[in-house]
């Protein structure tokens, strides 16, 4: 998966969370927000670790 595809996937999960929140599905939107945050954090940590290894 390319970086663009990962960014789009995280963005879609986040947008789905916003839509779920607006429609009143608070539990679903909470899960979607949490998963977007976790995936984003994993991606950033992995990128930072790979950058440290190349230096």
């Amino acid at each position: 998966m390319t970086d663009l595809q990962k960014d789009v996937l995280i963005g879609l999960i986040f947008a789905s969370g916003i839509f779920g929140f607006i429609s009143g599905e608070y539990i679903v939107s909470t899960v979607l927000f949490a998963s977007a945050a976790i995936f984003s954090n994993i991606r950033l940590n992995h990128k930072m670790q790979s950058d440290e290894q190349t230096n």
Side-chain angles (χ1 to χ4, degrees), residues 3-53:
D3 286 339
L4 177 63
Q5 291 173 334
K6 290 176 186 176
D7 287 340
V8 169
L9 178 64
I10 292 170
L12 287 174
I13 293 172
F14 185 76
S16 298
I18 291 173
F19 179 72
F21 184 79
I22 290 171
S23 66
E25 296 291 330
Y26 300 115
I27 295 172
V28 174
S29 67
T30 302
V31 170
L32 289 171
F33 284 138
S35 62
I38 289 169
F39 289 142
S40 178
N41 195 10
I42 289 171
R43 184 172 172 269
L44 287 175
N45 285 337
H46 179 69
K47 186 176 180 180
M48 287 176 64
Q49 287 177 354
S50 65
D51 286 345
E52 287 177 357
Q53 291 175 355

